[in-house]
Amino acid sequence: FIETKIMTDYQTIELEFSDTGIATLWLNRPDKNNAFNAEMINELLQAIDAVEAEPGVRFMMLRGRGKHFSAGADLGWMRDCAALDYNANLNDARELAQVMASLAQLKLPTFAVVHGAAFGGALGLISCCDMAIGSVEATFCLSEVRIGLVPAVISPYVVQAMGSRAVRRFALTAERFHGERARELGLLAECYPAAELEDELVQWIDRLLQNGPQAMRATKVLLQEVKNGDMSPPLRRYTESAIARIRVTPEGQEGLSAFLEKRDPAWLPKSR
């Protein structure tokens, strides 16, 4: 049995912490297909900060309540924004950009689970996560041009996830594509039939829980520094110091000892 602590101070999202060290951030406007508005954007920023501050969290999952992951931006909210002046719109854009940056820079692994529709800005949320899985039937669309807009603040993250050439096609045509194509493009790590998604998710969670929590965080920081892998003398020095630092940590010593002694490391959840 896994105990879960649920944070209740939100109206448009839910935040759960399990005793095994999993944070689950749910988009929770199912009646609006989890489309985000100013309130959700603000609450997402609060929740990401709360996950960062919570001790013992190993990784965070991002999911959507109801039939869909997220329909992107709430059209009613977008219509209201369009009636405001440039500076007000700029402030809204900066808030959404901060959500993407905060999610991408979160100092622990992040994992999106996608079902139903993922449109517009939802692709930004998925792209900002370190990994994503989804259903074969999930539908993806960079839909902004259909309503006369552009995928602005999400574009750097989506290009990183899918590649420039693919993003040019799908951002300019607003074509819909499904789970298999999302996997081929790199947006999803894997996709599964919808009926099997939850069972497969359990396997992903189990694999992540086997890993050293601090080692996963250190690996994320390392890969953010490495970026595209262009070697330079400073980067070489950084990688050398990174492995030296982790080897002498209690977790690094425990992991090596457990492997050599053919036993489970201390960080493995007892309820596994």
Side-chain angles (χ1 to χ4, degrees):
F1 177 73
I2 298 175
E3 292 187 5
T4 302
K5 178 174 70 173
I6 302 175
M7 310 295 285
T8 59
D9 299 332
Y10 304 107
Q11 301 301 313
T12 65
I13 63 171
E14 289 180 2
L15 182 57
E16 301 174 348
F17 295 100
S18 77
D19 61 2
T20 54
I22 305 167
T24 306
L25 176 52
W26 293 92
L27 307 178
N28 189 34
R29 296 183 76 209
D31 57 318
K32 298 292 186 181
N33 296 327
N34 295 323
F36 43 83
N37 57 8
E39 184 178 22
M40 180 181 277
I41 289 169
N42 181 260
E43 291 190 343
L44 283 170
L45 286 171
Q46 294 178 44
I48 292 168
D49 286 344
V51 171
E52 187 91 77
E54 185 75 13
V57 175
R58 299 182 182 217
F59 60 91
M60 187 189 83
M61 293 194 297
L62 179 63
R63 309 195 63 180
R65 293 287 191 197
K67 295 182 178 180
H68 302 289
F69 178 78
S70 172
D74 184 295
L75 292 181
W77 170 62
M78 294 290 283
R79 183 182 60 243
D80 292 343
C81 288
L84 303 176
D85 64 17
Y86 170 81
N87 287 328
N89 275 275
L90 183 58
N91 287 334
D92 278 332
R94 285 173 172 164
E95 289 291 302
L96 182 57
Q98 186 58 56
V99 168
M100 301 298 164
S102 296
L103 180 57
Q105 295 164 12
L106 189 63
K107 294 178 181 177
L108 50 89
T110 51
F111 186 76
V113 184
V114 186
H115 73 290
F119 280 23
L123 270 72
L125 295 176
I126 297 165
S127 299
C128 287
C129 290
D130 299 310
M131 296 162 282
I133 64 171
S135 66
V136 174
E137 299 87 346
T139 306
F140 302 83
C141 184
L142 287 165
S143 53
E144 286 84 353
V145 293
R146 287 288 171 88
I147 56 173
L149 301 176
V150 296
V153 302
I154 69 170
S155 57
Y157 306 101
V158 181
V159 167
Q160 288 176 5
M162 292 173 49
S164 177
R165 191 70 170 172
V167 172
R168 284 173 186 263
R169 169 183 173 174
F170 289 104
L172 292 171
T173 65
E175 292 175 76
R176 298 184 182 190
F177 56 99
H178 297 283
E180 287 285 3
R181 177 57 67 88
R183 183 187 59 78
E184 292 169 1
L185 294 171
L187 184 63
L188 297 181
E190 297 291 348
C191 65
Y192 309 98
E196 300 173 14
L197 184 60
E198 291 299 320
D199 288 340
E200 294 292 345
L201 175 58
V202 171
Q203 301 303 313
W204 279 85
I205 291 172
D206 188 62
R207 284 194 290 271
L208 287 167
L209 288 176
Q210 292 181 51
N211 303 330
Q214 298 308 313
M216 287 196 295
R217 289 182 179 230
T219 297
K220 179 164 182 176
V221 172
L222 171 70
L223 295 177
Q224 287 174 333
E225 190 72 24
V226 168
K227 296 184 175 66
N228 295 322
D230 296 328
M231 182 54 75
S232 66
L235 181 57
R236 177 179 170 181
R237 299 286 91 80
Y238 178 86
T239 60
E240 293 164 353
S241 63
I243 186 60
R245 283 194 305 271
I246 201 76
R247 280 178 183 165
V248 299
T249 63
E251 182 176 289
Q253 304 242 327
E254 165 64 11
L256 289 169
S257 296
F259 180 78
L260 293 171
E261 296 165 14
K262 296 181 170 55
R263 61 174 174 81
D264 288 341
W267 61 72
L268 219 59
K270 298 296 185 274
S271 57
R272 207 172 142 257

